[in-house]
Amino acid sequence: MSEALPKNSIFKVIGASSLGTLIEWYDFYIFGSLAVIIGDQLFPKDAGASALINTLAIFAAGFIVRPFGALVFGRLGDLIGRKYTFLLTLVLMGGSTFLIGLVPSYKSIGYAAPVLVLVLRLIQGLALGGEYGGAATYVAEHAPKNKRGFFTSWIQTTATLGLFLSLGIIVMTKNVLGADTFADWGWRIPFLLSILLVVVSIYIRMKMHESPMFSKLKAEGNVSKNPLKESFNNKANFKMVLLALFGATMGQGVIWYTGQFYAQSFLENTCKLDFNDSRYILLWGIAFATPFFVIFGAWSDRVGRKWIMLGGMLLGIIFYRPIYQTFLDDTDTSKMDLSLANYSKPSVKRELIDGTPDSLYTATTKVLLSNGASFNRVQADTISKTSGILTGKEIIKDKILPTSVFWKFVGLIFFQILLVTMVYGPIAAFLVELFPTKIRYTSMSLPYHIGNGVFGGLVPFIATLIASFSGSTPLSGLWYPIGIATLSLIIGTVYLSNKKDESIND
């Protein structure tokens, strides 16, 4: 039984479970970290902003199907066991990620490229829908009840560490190959490398034993014959599923994806930060904040899960708009002192526009400020065979921040990820304690993946879409996560109980 498990064994369980889950998150998140570059590969060159929105829609599709994966693999996990189910999800995730790295570009196969990536992205979403519930359940069913928040919080770190790993490999690959080579074909390397990580994780997971609680249940002949029916036809259990979704995971999901993915998208696509700068800021923020998953998980064992999670939601509701307004203000070139700036000689480039006899003419000037900041000013004009030169527009991009502002942004990202650790650190223990062993995998997976996969995973897409509407401001997209978090905070405050040290041996 879990309480009798030797200390060294529980850390082996955590290590084996966490490594596989980290790799699955890495596989799942490389796509989002490379959305701009992938959009250029999957869609026509003249697609403009629609390429990014379409790519974010493909990214979001993987989140939308996660609840279906939760149902499929949750049912398998409650029927055949935790170990073999999340071994299968690892194989599906790894294979799909590897194949995304092999899909030809739009230039080679046209719109078949985004269709193929969409199919593989859907398989990734299904696999992840089965992975998290299995890993969290597996660790929780090994852990003593008075340390369940502490031990399951190690699983919680894997989502953020998977993002950290994906960003780190992307930045290193780009720096080694150079920006042009990376944008051309080097972006595929992080996808292809994942197969090596998956093989190692499969080997480790093959050596794992089944959860002691599930083994006991199976030996007694009490395994659920129909986990879906028992989870959702039982009125009391279904009520807990809905409460977990609307009072906890829905708000937790939008805090998670705002603080990490939307933050990166906003810095890169709205503030126009340099590719490396935006990712270094996130890497430092993640590095400083990650230990707090375990801190808040352990604290929830002493004071309960509810108020830690709801506190993170409340702080996000209060501070998101001021934080993102600061991002805008500190990267606004119209407010910068350019009187002592140095201007490079313009770098000129001319290329044909696909499917037309016209050309796109760009002249890029690097502007270096006295405080060490810089940015590229790009004048883009179209040269038409029939109409001559059509004046385009000036684009400011590739902003590099002065050191003081860089670390200020790191602090703001750290604060947002700190909120992520508050809502996410205790959530696994909270969900495990809501449901009985025989249907736990199924019951906890569904609200988790709807809250995170649908409400949370859609944050980058919906927020970017809202901000693109006529009359919207760059901060308009924040109303989506703020609204969802507010609703979840109200429901959670009224209806959630402050659980801790709950017995799950039923």
Side-chain angles (χ1 to χ4, degrees), residues 109-367:
I109 60 173
Y111 281 105
V115 171
L116 286 173
V117 171
L118 175 61
V119 171
L120 293 170
R121 185 70 188 158
L122 293 174
I123 295 173
Q124 283 188 319
L126 290 170
L128 192 62
E131 165 66 22
Y132 173 83
T137 300
Y138 187 78
V139 170
E141 291 179 351
H142 280 86
K145 68 177 185 178
N146 62 335
K147 290 189 176 180
R148 194 175 297 123
F150 169 71
F151 284 125
T152 57
S153 65
W154 290 95
I155 290 291
Q156 305 308 90
T157 67
T158 60
T160 294
L161 289 176
L163 176 59
F164 183 91
L165 182 63
S166 73
L167 291 170
I169 290 179
I170 286 167
V171 169
M172 285 191 292
T173 305
K174 179 177 180 288
N175 288 344
V176 169
L177 297 178
D180 292 340
T181 302
F182 184 78
D184 183 26
W185 60 265
W187 63 271
R188 299 177 183 275
I189 291 176
F191 287 93
L192 300 177
L193 280 177
S194 72
I195 201 69
L196 301 176
L197 302 174
V198 169
V199 169
V200 171
S201 187
I202 289 173
Y203 174 77
I204 292 172
R205 283 197 171 179
M206 288 291 289
K207 295 181 174 295
M208 294 167 65
H209 298 289
E210 185 53 81
S211 153
M213 291 186 188
F214 184 84
S215 297
K216 180 175 181 290
L217 205 67
K218 190 172 182 179
E220 295 171 348
N222 290 327
V223 173
S224 174
K225 293 181 174 58
N226 192 334
L228 293 177
K229 184 177 180 180
E230 291 185 45
S231 292
F232 308 120
N233 272 10
N234 181 298
K235 186 176 180 180
N237 197 76
F238 187 58
K239 178 183 176 182
M240 298 311 294
V241 169
L242 294 178
L243 183 57
L245 170 60
F246 294 111
T249 63
M250 180 174 74
Q252 170 256 303
V254 295
I255 295 294
W256 206 104
Y257 287 96
T258 301
Q260 298 187 132
F261 266 106
Y262 186 62
Q264 178 194 308
S265 177
F266 191 88
L267 289 175
E268 184 177 1
N269 301 313
T270 303
C271 298
K272 303 298 182 183
L273 285 196
D274 171 73
F275 181 96
N276 280 355
D277 249 26
S278 65
R279 283 155 180 80
Y280 286 141
I281 288 168
L282 203 62
L283 284 168
W284 279 112
I286 290 171
F288 291 139
T290 295
F292 287 90
F293 283 107
V294 179
I295 291 171
F296 285 118
W299 193 28
S300 75
D301 286 325
R302 296 195 296 273
V303 303
R305 329 289 183 200
K306 173 180 175 176
W307 295 114
I308 296 175
M309 296 188 297
L310 297 185
M313 294 179 204
L314 177 62
L315 291 172
I317 293 164
I318 295 171
F319 288 106
Y320 276 158
R321 286 184 66 85
I323 287 172
Y324 284 79
Q325 184 64 60
T326 301
F327 287 154
L328 285 176
D329 292 343
D330 288 357
T331 55
D332 186 350
T333 55
S334 68
K335 297 179 181 179
M336 296 179 182
D337 181 8
L338 302 181
S339 60
L340 300 177
N342 291 318
Y343 297 82
S344 71
K345 182 179 178 181
S347 172
V348 178
K349 186 177 180 181
R350 180 173 177 173
E351 57 183 350
L352 288 173
I353 299 173
D354 290 342
T356 74
D358 302 336
S359 300
L360 181 66
Y361 176 91
T362 58
T364 303
T365 303
K366 190 173 187 65
V367 181

Side-chain angles (χ1 to χ4, degrees), residues 280-281 284-285 288 401-412:
Y280 286 141
I281 288 168
W284 279 112
F288 291 139
L401 302 171
T403 302
S404 60
V405 178
F406 176 91
W407 287 109
K408 178 181 179 180
F409 279 25
V410 169
L412 294 175

Side-chain angles (χ1 to χ4, degrees), residues 488-506:
S488 193
L489 174 66
I490 293 170
I491 295 172
T493 299
V494 175
Y495 293 107
L496 287 186
S497 60
N498 194 31
K499 290 179 176 289
K500 62 177 180 175
D501 291 347
E502 295 286 318
S503 173
I504 60 171
N505 294 319
D506 52 354

